[in-house]
Amino acid sequence: NVITYDDVHIDFTWKEWTLLDTSQKNLYKDVMLETYRNLNDIGYNWEDNTIEEHCASCKRHERHEGRQTAEKPSVYTQCLKAFMCYSHLQRHKRTHSGEKPYECNLCGKPFANYSHLKTHVRTHTGEKPYECNQCGKAFARQSTLQIHKRTHTGEKPYECNQCAKAFAQQSTLQMHKRTHTGEKPYECNQCGKAFSHQGSLHVHERTHTGEKPYECNQCGKAYARYSQLHVHERTHTGEKPYECNQCGKTFACYSQLQMHKRTHTREKPYECNQCGKAFSNQSTLNVHKRTHTGEKPYECNQCGKAFSQHGNLQIHKRRHTGEKPYECNQCGKAFSHHSNLQIHKRRHTGEKPYECNQCGKAFSHHGSLQKHKRRHTGEKPYECI
């Protein structure tokens, strides 16, 4: 005789289920899981008889009772994960099937469950219904608000078991752990570059696609990262929430504050592995490395001239456009580069910050000091060919 699931499972009516105490209900679930494992081991076909069916009697009431007792009577056969509500089980199944039945009618992006779609729609509407009662900052998600509140309380409940460093978010702890393991599980399928965090991979992929999904609703400027947009928005509001506790100088983003602090500590943690020269920030090191490789990734689309830094390309483009965005507020003279304006202003103030350490003569800009020093050294670097 062929044994079927109906031959070995135990079913309760709702009335019978309510008469069981907690230990009896737990025993029931343990027995049913053991039954499942035994049948699975002998190769039982679950296609038509699934373990979830054993909960038919309790599913009708599990939403009410499950929420009150925190019991999880619905079990999924594929991974044995348990859920309080049948609807939660159904949502979970989609992580295995890849089904995404809820689609955004604004951009067409699909989602596995309705709550994720609802949250996504707020990226289009700008709705932020969850507000911090301490600083008034608003968020699109309740979970994001809860994480934000830890910036006020200083709470960091997630601790690394290797170095004891603590974090405000579980996801941040998981990423941090990869600094110990060196694990980079997310790989770009175009260039093969690997990342420790999926979000970093998604952002990187935009360097291939050119996608900039985050747009400023004041000036229309677009960014590949939300954090870049968030920092940019402060150029409109003037907000500078990060303050140096040594000199009081304020900054629009945290990374700028961290770099600034190194002007006090003289710390230079980023070292070139070719010449040993050290820098206070990673971006400056990256630019420096191009002096070794000769790489010039930023090219002018008008004359083809290439540059190692994006900023230098932007300045160069003004030669074509004639743009001079930096204007002296004393005499109205305009300049294409901010540093030229700063040098010019010293004509008004008389400031000469660059002093020769041999004769004490002072100059308004660094280039003039360098030329002056050659009078002492006798250096003549420019030779007629």
Side-chain angles (χ1 to χ4, degrees), residues 35-65:
T35 301
Y36 163 76
R37 292 189 186 99
N38 290 337
L39 288 173
N40 198 54
D41 287 343
I42 63 172
Y44 184 74
N45 182 8
W46 295 95
E47 192 170 332
D48 298 319
N49 295 285
T50 58
I51 191 71
E52 301 102 283
E53 289 175 357
H54 85 267
C55 286
S57 60
C58 61
K59 278 179 191 167
R60 294 189 294 271
H61 308 277
E62 69 183 347
R63 180 180 294 276
H64 170 73
E65 188 186 65

Side-chain angles (χ1 to χ4, degrees), residues 339 341-354 363-366:
S339 62
L341 172 61
Q342 294 305 102
I343 292 167
H344 164 79
K345 281 184 174 180
R346 293 174 191 142
R347 293 185 180 181
H348 298 295
T349 63
E351 182 190 6
K352 293 183 178 181
Y354 303 102
F363 299 87
S364 59
H365 62 97
H366 189 260

Side-chain angles (χ1 to χ4, degrees), residues 109-129:
K109 191 172 182 179
F111 295 88
N113 61 70
Y114 180 72
S115 62
H116 290 174
L117 169 62
K118 194 175 176 182
T119 300
H120 164 79
V121 168
R122 292 176 189 143
T123 64
H124 297 295
T125 63
E127 182 192 5
K128 294 181 178 180

Side-chain angles (χ1 to χ4, degrees), residues 157-302:
Y158 305 103
E159 188 175 295
C160 176
N161 54 13
Q162 289 194 53
C163 66
K165 193 171 182 180
F167 299 88
Q169 300 181 52
Q170 172 74 26
S171 59
T172 313
L173 170 60
Q174 293 306 109
M175 284 190 287
H176 163 79
K177 282 183 174 180
R178 293 176 188 141
T179 63
H180 296 296
T181 63
E183 181 192 8
K184 291 185 178 181
Y186 305 101
E187 188 175 299
C188 175
N189 56 14
Q190 289 197 51
C191 67
K193 193 171 182 181
F195 300 87
S196 58
H197 184 234
Q198 189 175 34
S200 301
L201 170 61
H202 289 326
V203 171
H204 163 78
E205 286 173 336
R206 292 175 191 144
T207 63
H208 297 295
T209 64
E211 182 193 6
K212 293 182 177 181
Y214 304 104
E215 188 175 299
C216 176
N217 56 15
Q218 290 195 53
C219 67
K221 196 169 182 181
Y223 296 87
R225 302 183 183 202
Y226 177 73
S227 59
Q228 292 171 331
L229 170 62
H230 196 52
V231 171
H232 163 79
E233 285 174 336
R234 292 176 185 145
T235 63
H236 297 295
T237 63
E239 182 191 6
K240 292 184 177 182
Y242 303 102
E243 184 177 310
C244 175
N245 54 14
Q246 286 187 261
C247 66
K249 194 171 181 180
T250 56
F251 299 88
C253 67
Y254 183 70
S255 60
Q256 290 173 345
L257 171 60
Q258 293 304 100
M259 284 191 287
H260 164 78
K261 282 184 173 180
R262 293 175 190 139
T263 63
H264 296 297
T265 63
R266 306 295 180 191
E267 180 192 5
K268 292 184 177 181
Y270 303 99
E271 188 174 298
C272 176
N273 55 12
Q274 286 188 262
C275 67
K277 194 171 181 181
F279 300 88
S280 59
N281 60 77
Q282 178 69 47
S283 60
T284 311
L285 170 60
N286 290 341
V287 171
H288 163 79
K289 282 182 175 179
R290 293 175 190 144
T291 63
H292 296 295
T293 63
E295 181 192 8
K296 293 183 178 180
Y298 305 103
E299 188 175 298
C300 176
N301 54 13
Q302 286 188 263

